[in-house]
Amino acid sequence: VDFFTDAPEAAPVSAEVAKSVASIHDDASPTTWAVFGYEDGTQVLRLAGSGQGTEGKSIASEVVPLLDDAQCMHLLLRSVLPVDETSTVRFSQLSWVGEALPPMRKAKLSTVRGDVDALFSPVHESLGQLSTTDEVVQALGAIGAAKEVTAAA
């Protein structure tokens, strides 16, 4: 088997998904995060939701209701962090694996993880296999995206 010529093609990406990812990577865009899931029974990414993460409403409080316990989902986030006397843009990726996701579906979706990584690139940090809302809130808090929020299960 020649792994270079017999390798499976990358999972298809819709124009909506590509536009959402580009928007997060665009510093001029107000969109700072997006959650992506998969179309039912496929390996085709779909946009589940996006937002701006305002001061009054944390990103965690907007993201957590979008997470489906029977799905594998991905969050791409742009944050601006102060470093010394400048502001630095940082991209983070979180992967949600719902506790009700069937094991075979989980295995099948793991084969397209590299495609998702390539689509979201560049990413400065990647946190995977989060399966509870508390883990998501904690992870977002660690990257400065959760302000005064508690997880709602």
Side-chain angles (χ1 to χ4, degrees):
V1 174
D2 183 347
F3 290 104
F4 295 104
T5 57
D6 295 336
E9 292 186 30
V13 176
S14 71
E16 178 185 39
V17 168
K19 182 178 177 182
S20 295
V21 170
S23 177
I24 294 165
H25 283 112
D26 180 359
D27 290 342
S29 170
T31 303
T32 58
W33 63 267
V35 174
F36 303 91
Y38 293 91
E39 292 180 13
D40 289 338
T42 72
Q43 296 177 331
V44 178
L45 277 178
R46 65 170 174 76
L47 178 66
S50 63
Q52 299 177 12
T54 62
E55 287 295 320
K57 189 173 184 183
S58 77
I59 292 170
S61 66
E62 296 178 59
V63 167
V64 167
L66 298 174
L67 301 175
D68 183 342
D69 200 39
Q71 289 286 328
C72 176
M73 304 181 89
H74 306 279
L75 167 68
L76 179 61
L77 169 72
R78 178 182 71 228
S79 54
V80 179
L81 302 172
V83 176
D84 295 327
E85 296 181 16
T86 63
S87 294
T88 300
V89 175
R90 187 165 113 180
F91 299 102
S92 304
Q93 173 184 351
L94 281 72
S95 293
W96 165 265
V97 179
E99 292 181 330
L101 184 66
M104 289 306 295
R105 178 81 174 133
K106 188 185 301 186
K108 184 179 268 189
L109 291 176
S110 71
T111 65
V112 295
R113 174 63 194 262
D115 296 336
V116 173
D117 292 347
L119 175 65
F120 286 2
S121 183
V123 171
H124 298 99
E125 63 186 333
S126 181
L127 303 170
Q129 301 296 324
L130 305 177
S131 60
T132 68
T133 54
D134 287 335
E135 290 174 334
V136 171
V137 170
Q138 184 178 13
L140 288 170
I143 56 178
K147 297 181 179 83
E148 300 175 17
V149 68
T150 57

